[in-house]
Amino acid sequence: MDLNELLQQAQRLTNETKMDTELPRVERTLSQVLQATQELHSRVTQTGTNDLQAHILLGSRGVDLPKLTQKLESLSARKSFEPLNPVSDTDVEGYLKNERENAIIAVIEETNVNIFKSVDRNRMRCIYAEWGEDKERLLNALVGPNQEDFPDVHRQMVSTVLPQEALPRSRLNRIESLYAQEICAYNQFKTAYIQQSSHRPNLLTKLTQLAKEKLNDIDNQVPEMWSVLSYMANVSPLVRNSDPIKARQTGPQFVQQALAYLEQCYKQYMNTVIQKNRLVGLRGGIPNVYNTVSSFVSISFQLPQSLVGLLDISNGRPLWSLVYYSLRSGDLGAAVQFLKEGGVCPDLLKLLQHKQQQQKHQQSHQQLGDQERPHTKLEGQLKLEYNNKLRVCTDPYKKAVYAIVLACDPHEPHQEVVRTIDDFLWMQLSMLCTAERSDYHIERLSYGGLQSLILDKYGENYFNAREKTPLYFQVLVLTGQFESAIEFLARTDVNRPHAVHMAIALNELSMLGTPSSVQQPLLSADPQDPAPMRRLNLARLIIMYTKCFEQTNTNEALQYYYLLRNFKAVDGRNLMLTCICDLLVENCDDQLLLLVFGNPDPHDPWGYSGGIFAQFSNMVQDKHVLATMVGDELAQRTKFEAAIKLYFIGGQLEKALRLLCSLLTQVVHQPARQGSMREHLVDITERMNLALAKRKLDVDDHVLGTYQLLSQLMKFFDYYHAGESRLATEVLAKHRIIPDNCREVDNCVSSLKLVGADIIKVLPDVLLAAMDLIYMEYQQVKTGHGSAPHDETSQGPGQGHSDSKEELLMNLRQRAKALTNMAATLPYRMPSDTNNRLVQLEILMH
């Protein structure tokens, strides 16, 4: 700084200290000033520190404390409604004063009483109205179909139309329904894309268009949020195997997109200002950035006082404002043109021309040569000029232009230029440390540093995020923090549908950072990620959102679960199948099974057509996996009948057969009744027989033998309860379930040891039924109403046909004896009632 500049600054300071009032200037020596300071300090310390602080506080706000003290002392402490003093009869002035105050008090008291009466009257009116509604509702509930029972009661007739099939009311509101329809259409379109290899659908574009067309009337800020997210995601597609967080932090394309968005918004703002001030703007010529900036600057600096402190003013327009707004609009060509016309700072002009040429090469995807590298020496000179002169420059626009072009001094607030959050973001993004600037050893701002500044240092309180939700969301998105922005939206019920579908759309484009485990919180930080990046648990977000309406809008819920097909649950299974499995286990009715798996084929036990899986060509095979998962879960919850249906769908014949055997052991001995579980199992048994005819080799021989034996026992009990004793006896004799004489007891016991536990559970009922049949035949023969059977097999091998009555009775006694011996010989604990009944019937035959 030379002496001339120092002299000019001294003169400017002298002019600023001059006062407009005509008071005499006081000139004191240093000793006089010191003495006056000591006297003032002694007076202040005597009054106390509290008075000093009060004087300082009130004086800084323009309050005259002595005058305020006088006003407070002049106030009367007398109460307004204190008793009036008695006056004498001759005191006319006092009498009139008392009468006037009595009148005022009377009016106030009367008004107070009227207010209380009015409030009480309105309160009682409301109470009576509520009581009347309750009485009317109760009487309407008491009134039956016959009006004559209550002749004085008037019912309110409400016309209602009940549907034939009452469905639960949808829990999706209008916004959620619109989003759900778009998700369903996207899933179907994507399936067609996989089949036909056509153009890949872009869900983010579809949802952004939906927000602009149908959600703008609900909240005009929602389309703006979708627009900024769509603009930021409009970059070259990322590789699906790459990590979205690392790709976003290392690639400069997201920074360029944010700058382009902010510059485009500012150009729209300038055009809006010009349209409102056409006479002042006088925009003409070609509609480009150069003319737009010229008109905008003419409007902004039309007052003479707005040019105070600005440099290089020509025709009422400051040069550096023109250059700054050209850079703010993203047009380096306009900034170069303005600098050429101004004829100042040739070094800065040369650097801007180089950046313009470099920008053209980047747009044409050409590599820079060695001669096109940034001018290191030129930038160094300009930085030196900025540090020496421009830090105290009176023109804030010139200072901002140098800081932006040189990408230096990131902590300078530039308060005269930066007026909005968008301006602040654009300024910070323009000065970020990129690859081409990494060789300068000066203080720079990194992308992660800017993100930490927005998320951690400033945070939600600084931006008043609760009241200005769209603003904070846009700031996070423009700084590449998609996950934190979506999680912030998902905290409120109003914005949760938008947040869920934003996350879905970004995930379909492979731009959403998700954690490795679905058990992570909704927003988590991975130690391997650069700070302050977060990861959003999309699976948890979708499940939380879908659980609210999966009971009433099951079809839409399944469409959302389809989006989780690429995620893995904790146990390693497909998360989509796990979610649908939980839904089916909780509500395993026929209607839901038809919705998921389709209609069964009556001719093919394994054929199912339709269902939600028919819409997804790549999930057809997973239908069997899902059915098996649901069947296993239902079997663990002892819902065997429903589990058998699911095992049929999943093709698990052996598992279905095992459960069917377990159920048959519980009902095989019961008589057939309409609507009973035994009747349902008969239908399942017929379908099982049809399936075994085609896939008999897929079942274990031991399980198959148990099932076949239980099927024969079911026929036996059907004959038994129907009174067909001969047919029932033939079934037992054909399969050698019980012995015909004492010599066959050991063989029968040995064969029963080889069968499963399901047959042992039915054996006591089989023995009782067989003993009952023998006793009935014994009574018929003894009374002469029965005769010897004509089939030799009914008396067992080795026994001859005897017409003698005694021999036939003896044969029946031997068969009864064999049953009791078998019950006593079995290595299983038989019920005591069974043994007692068997012994009683045997005794009755002697």
Side-chain angles (χ1 to χ4, degrees):
M1 181 179 295
D2 53 7
L3 296 177
N4 291 329
E5 292 182 358
L6 183 60
L7 178 60
Q8 292 176 1
Q9 290 185 4
Q11 290 177 354
R12 185 169 64 253
L13 292 175
T14 303
N15 294 332
E16 291 177 355
T17 55
K18 290 182 178 180
M19 303 179 64
D20 296 336
T21 57
E22 297 179 357
L23 295 177
R25 295 179 57 86
V26 179
E27 296 182 357
R28 296 184 183 183
T29 62
L30 293 178
S31 60
Q32 291 175 345
V33 172
L34 178 61
Q35 182 179 1
T37 304
Q38 291 177 353
E39 293 178 358
L40 178 61
H41 180 266
S42 61
R43 290 199 303 269
V44 169
T45 53
Q46 289 177 1
T47 57
T49 57
N50 293 333
D51 294 341
L52 175 61
Q53 293 177 358
H55 277 278
I56 294 174
L57 176 61
L58 296 177
S60 62
R61 299 298 179 182
V63 178
D64 192 353
L65 190 58
K67 291 184 178 180
L68 182 62
T69 305
Q70 294 176 0
K71 291 180 180 180
L72 292 175
E73 291 177 353
S74 63
L75 293 178
S76 175
R78 177 185 176 186
K79 296 183 180 179
S80 301
F81 301 105
E82 62 184 359
L84 301 177
N85 296 324
V87 295
S88 59
D89 298 337
T90 58
D91 189 359
V92 178
E93 181 179 359
Y95 175 77
L96 294 176
K97 180 179 180 181
N98 286 349
E99 288 296 324
R100 178 177 178 275
E101 292 181 356
N102 285 330
I104 295 175
I105 293 175
V107 171
I108 294 175
E109 184 65 24
E110 184 179 0
T111 304
N112 191 16
V113 172
N114 292 335
I115 290 174
F116 275 102
K117 288 182 179 179
S118 177
V119 171
D120 187 66
R121 186 166 54 253
N122 292 332
R123 180 177 63 85
M124 295 305 298
R125 184 185 298 113
C126 293
I127 291 176
Y128 285 138
E130 293 179 358
W131 286 359
E133 293 177 359
D134 290 340
K135 288 188 291 185
E136 184 177 2
R137 184 166 55 253
L138 292 174
L139 291 176
N140 288 338
L142 292 174
V143 174
N146 189 5
Q147 181 68 22
E148 297 178 357
D149 297 338
F150 297 89
D152 297 332
V153 177
H154 299 282
R155 292 181 293 178
Q156 282 187 337
M157 304 302 296
V158 181
S159 58
T160 58
V161 178
L162 297 177
Q164 295 181 357
E165 296 181 0
L167 299 177
R169 183 179 178 182
S170 174
R171 296 194 63 182
L172 294 176
N173 55 30
R174 178 173 177 266
I175 297 177
E176 294 170 345
S177 299
L178 292 174
Y179 279 134
Q181 293 174 7
E182 201 65 38
I183 291 296
C184 296
Y186 171 75
N187 289 338
Q188 295 177 0
F189 188 75
K190 188 169 184 180
T191 304
Y193 155 74
I194 295 174
Q195 294 176 350
Q196 303 175 6
S197 298
S198 60
H199 180 68
R200 180 180 177 183
N202 191 327
L203 181 60
L204 184 58
T205 304
K206 293 289 185 181
L207 294 178
T208 304
Q209 184 178 2
L210 172 68
K212 292 180 179 179
E213 295 177 355
K214 299 183 179 180
L215 302 183
N216 193 21
D217 57 340
I218 300 176
D219 188 354
N220 55 4
Q221 293 180 336
V222 172
E224 186 177 355
M225 292 190 294
W226 275 104
S227 298
V228 65
L229 183 65
S230 178
Y231 197 96
M232 287 296 296
N234 188 20
V235 297
S236 57
L238 302 178
V239 182
R240 289 192 173 274
N241 296 329
S242 63
D243 188 5
I245 298 295
K246 296 180 180 179
R248 194 186 311 158
Q249 294 299 103
T250 56
Q253 51 186 350
F254 290 96
V255 177
Q256 296 173 359
Q257 285 295 109
L259 285 172
Y261 179 81
L262 293 172
E263 291 163 358
Q264 181 179 352
C265 292
Y266 203 79
K267 285 189 287 187
Q268 295 177 359
Y269 165 73
M270 288 194 299
N271 289 324
T272 303
V273 173
I274 294 172
Q275 291 296 327
K276 295 180 179 179
N277 302 272
R278 294 181 181 180
L279 297 178
V280 181
L282 298 177
R283 180 169 60 176
I286 302 175
N288 53 17
V289 175
Y290 177 84
N291 294 322
T292 302
V293 171
S294 299
S295 301
F296 180 75
V297 171
S298 299
I299 296 172
S300 301
F301 297 92
Q302 56 181 322
L303 298 178
Q305 56 267 28
S306 62
L307 300 175
V308 176
L310 302 183
L311 305 177
D312 302 323
I313 300 174
S314 176
N315 296 327
R317 297 186 307 176
L319 171 64
W320 294 107
S321 300
L322 296 170
V323 176
Y324 170 76
Y325 287 119
S326 299
L327 296 176
R328 182 68 178 85
S329 303
D331 194 336
L332 292 177
V336 170
Q337 188 173 353
F338 282 123
L339 276 179
K340 285 182 180 180
E341 295 175 356
V344 297
C345 300
D347 294 339
L348 183 64
L349 175 62
K350 188 182 299 183
L351 184 59
L352 278 176
Q353 289 176 341
H354 170 75
K355 289 182 177 295
Q356 183 183 8
Q357 184 180 7
Q358 182 181 1
Q359 188 179 30
K360 293 180 180 179
H361 281 289
Q362 291 179 354
Q363 293 176 357
S364 59
H365 304 285
Q366 296 179 3
Q367 297 293 332
L368 292 174
D370 295 336
Q371 70 278 7
E372 296 175 341
R373 295 299 177 186
H375 299 289
T376 308
K377 184 177 180 181
L378 183 60
E379 285 193 9
Q381 294 176 357
L382 292 174
K383 289 186 178 71
L384 184 61
E385 181 182 356
Y386 176 82
N387 292 327
N388 293 337
K389 296 182 180 181
L390 296 182
R391 285 185 178 273
V392 293
C393 180
T394 59
D395 193 339
Y397 292 95
K398 183 177 182 179
K399 182 178 179 180
V401 168
Y402 270 78
I404 293 169
V405 175
L406 301 175
C408 61
D409 202 8
H411 300 294
E412 173 64 33
H414 299 283
Q415 297 178 358
E416 298 86 352
V417 178
V418 177
R419 297 183 177 90
T420 62
I421 296 297
D422 289 351
D423 294 338
F424 170 76
L425 280 180
W426 179 83
M427 182 77 72
Q428 297 297 323
L429 289 171
S430 301
M431 295 187 295
L432 286 182
C433 176
T434 57
E436 70 225 20
R437 301 169 180 169
S438 59
D439 51 346
Y440 302 118
H441 300 285
I442 61 176
E443 184 180 8
R444 294 193 180 277
L445 181 65
S446 64
Y447 195 33
L450 177 59
Q451 292 170 340
S452 299
L453 185 69
I454 297 297
L455 184 64
D456 297 333
K457 183 177 180 180
Y458 292 146
E460 300 177 13
N461 294 331
Y462 177 82
F463 291 97
N464 194 10
R466 291 186 178 181
E467 298 182 2
K468 300 179 180 179
T469 300
L471 174 63
Y472 188 60
F473 173 81
Q474 292 180 16
V475 170
L476 292 177
V477 171
L478 290 173
T479 53
Q481 304 181 83
F482 300 154
E483 295 77 13
S484 299
I486 293 174
E487 188 272 338
F488 167 71
L489 278 186
R491 297 180 195 171
T492 56
D493 296 335
V494 177
N495 296 316
R496 186 172 297 117
H498 311 305
V500 172
H501 293 86
M502 287 176 180
I504 292 173
L506 288 178
N507 183 68
E508 292 298 316
L509 296 176
S510 302
M511 290 187 179
L512 187 70
T514 56
S516 57
S517 175
V518 296
Q519 284 189 324
Q520 291 291 333
L522 189 59
L523 193 68
S524 60
D526 194 332
Q528 298 180 357
D529 293 338
M533 296 305 294
R534 304 287 193 269
R535 290 186 178 269
L536 183 69
N537 194 342
L538 177 64
R540 184 183 292 272
L541 183 62
I542 292 179
I543 292 173
M544 290 170 54
Y545 176 74
T546 311
K547 284 292 184 182
C548 299
F549 58 86
E550 67 175 7
Q551 301 293 335
T552 58
N553 303 83
T554 309
N555 189 17
E556 288 78 2
L558 295 177
Q559 296 286 345
Y560 281 96
Y561 287 147
Y562 174 70
L563 300 172
L564 302 176
R565 63 194 179 280
N566 297 324
F567 290 87
K568 296 294 183 182
V570 181
D571 52 2
R573 298 186 297 182
N574 188 285
L575 186 59
M576 168 194 170
L577 300 181
T578 302
C579 294
I580 301 179
C581 175
D582 296 339
L583 175 61
L584 290 173
V585 169
E586 296 297 332
N587 306 276
C588 191
D589 53 0
D590 295 336
Q591 184 177 1
L592 187 56
L593 292 179
L594 293 177
L595 176 63
V596 176
F597 300 106
N599 299 312
D601 189 351
H603 303 289
D604 185 6
W606 316 111
Y608 285 83
S609 59
I612 194 69
F613 281 90
Q615 303 178 17
F616 315 129
S617 59
N618 57 336
M619 303 293 292
V620 174
Q621 299 300 326
D622 290 336
K623 176 169 65 175
H624 306 292
V625 178
L626 173 63
T628 304
M629 292 171 55
V630 179
D632 293 339
E633 188 67 26
L634 290 174
Q636 292 180 2
R637 300 191 181 192
T638 65
K639 298 180 180 180
F640 297 137
E641 187 175 357
I644 292 174
K645 296 181 181 179
L646 272 302
Y647 283 144
F648 268 116
I649 299 174
Q652 299 294 327
L653 186 58
E654 184 173 340
K655 290 185 177 181
L657 198 59
R658 290 180 183 273
L659 289 183
L660 183 57
C661 292
S662 300
L663 292 178
L664 286 176
T665 56
Q666 303 176 27
V667 299
V668 69
H669 61 283
Q670 297 176 359
R673 291 191 302 270
Q674 186 177 2
S676 63
M677 183 179 179
R678 193 177 190 275
E679 185 179 3
H680 295 165
L681 292 179
V682 170
D683 298 336
I684 298 176
T685 304
E686 294 177 356
R687 188 177 180 186
M688 180 64 72
N689 295 333
L690 182 61
L692 289 174
K694 296 183 178 181
R695 295 182 53 183
K696 190 174 182 179
L697 298 178
D698 296 343
V699 183
D700 187 271
D701 294 339
H702 179 72
V703 179
L704 182 60
T706 303
Y707 169 72
Q708 291 176 347
L709 190 56
L710 286 173
S711 300
Q712 296 301 320
L713 290 177
M714 182 174 287
K715 292 182 180 180
F716 163 73
F717 281 105
D718 287 339
Y719 293 144
Y720 169 72
H721 292 297
E724 300 289 342
S725 58
R726 185 179 64 84
L727 296 176
T729 304
E730 288 178 358
V731 171
L732 293 180
K734 181 179 179 180
H735 295 86
R736 300 293 179 181
I737 300 176
I738 60 174
D740 284 341
N741 51 59
C742 295
R743 294 188 300 272
E744 296 180 0
V745 172
D746 295 334
N747 294 331
C748 290
V749 172
S750 300
S751 62
L752 286 175
K753 292 180 181 180
L754 302 178
V755 299
D758 295 329
I759 302 298
I760 303 302
K761 295 177 182 179
V762 189
L763 190 59
D765 297 303
V766 174
L767 293 177
L768 287 175
M771 181 65 79
D772 194 22
L773 290 175
I774 294 173
Y775 180 71
M776 291 171 59
E777 186 179 355
Y778 177 84
Q779 286 183 331
Q780 291 176 359
V781 172
K782 189 174 182 180
T783 56
H785 296 288
S787 59
H790 300 284
D791 191 3
E792 187 176 347
T793 59
S794 62
Q795 298 184 16
Q799 294 183 359
H801 180 71
S802 176
D803 295 334
S804 175
K805 182 178 178 180
E806 286 297 328
E807 291 181 358
L808 186 56
L809 295 176
M810 183 62 66
N811 185 19
L812 294 174
R813 294 191 190 100
Q814 290 294 328
R815 291 169 59 188
K817 182 66 174 178
L819 292 179
T820 55
N821 290 342
M822 180 180 178
T825 311
L826 285 174
Y828 311 109
R829 179 176 296 178
M830 300 288 290
S832 57
D833 295 341
T834 302
N835 290 325
N836 296 335
R837 180 64 177 168
L838 290 175
V839 172
Q840 290 175 2
L841 291 177
E842 183 189 359
I843 293 174
L844 293 176
M845 295 182 190
H846 289 82

